[in-house]
Amino acid sequence: MQQAFGLAEHAMSQQEVPVGAVVVLEDKVIGKGWNQPIANNDPSAHAEIMALRNAAKTIGNYRLLDATLYVTLEPCLMCVGAILHSRIKRLVFGAYDSKTGAAGTVFDVLTDTRHNHTVEVQGGVLEKQNAELLQTFFRQRR
């Protein structure tokens, strides 16, 4: 989660919403990402999507079986869709998102047994640190 936090700080330095993500497989980082929708003019360039794309390229497979995704903010609906399709085994996130969180806060998509794949979810890891970074960013923007 510390590496994801560092990527969130990098996103903030680029004037992007400070969210960072890291994909880990067999104790090795195989993918990294940070929010880049402004820089890339791409509404899908969320940290999670960027990390998943990077990880898939690293291993040469879009299925990220047995991998864990660490992200500083609870993923949105778009990102949990990508998480499901990538077959990530486990999601660990920092701050809860009371407006668009789709990993249990507003929506609970990842553990819904109607999908052919479910994801283990753990939230609140370094929650205070991650939430404070987001709050600082939005305070500065106002």
Side-chain angles (χ1 to χ4, degrees), residues 6-24:
L7 293 168
E9 290 178 315
H10 176 71
M12 186 170 172
S13 76
Q14 303 296 307
Q15 305 305 308
E16 300 275 6
V17 175
V19 179
V22 175
V23 179
V24 175

Side-chain angles (χ1 to χ4, degrees), residues 25-132:
L25 179 65
E26 297 174 357
D27 296 323
K28 293 180 185 162
V29 174
I30 61 168
K32 296 178 182 180
W34 59 90
N35 270 3
Q36 302 174 53
I38 297 167
N40 292 348
N41 294 311
D42 179 357
S44 71
H46 287 196
E48 301 93 326
I49 302 290
M50 304 307 286
L52 293 171
R53 286 176 182 163
N54 189 262
K57 284 181 183 175
T58 298
I59 67 167
N61 191 338
Y62 74 102
R63 301 283 189 184
L64 302 172
L65 304 172
D66 297 320
T68 299
L69 172 64
Y70 296 88
V71 62
T72 58
L73 178 65
E74 182 179 2
C76 69
L77 281 167
M78 175 183 67
C79 291
V80 298
I83 290 165
L84 282 170
H85 286 288
S86 71
R87 301 297 193 263
I88 285 285
K89 180 178 183 177
R90 184 169 170 245
L91 166 69
V92 179
F93 68 86
Y96 291 87
D97 186 341
S98 62
K99 294 183 180 179
T100 63
T105 299
V106 178
F107 306 100
D108 194 4
V109 178
L110 294 174
T111 59
D112 190 323
T113 57
R114 292 175 289 184
H115 298 292
N116 62 352
H117 177 72
T118 57
V119 178
E120 298 170 28
V121 177
Q122 179 183 357
V125 175
L126 298 179
E127 178 181 4
K128 184 178 179 189
Q129 178 181 352
N130 288 302
E132 285 176 355

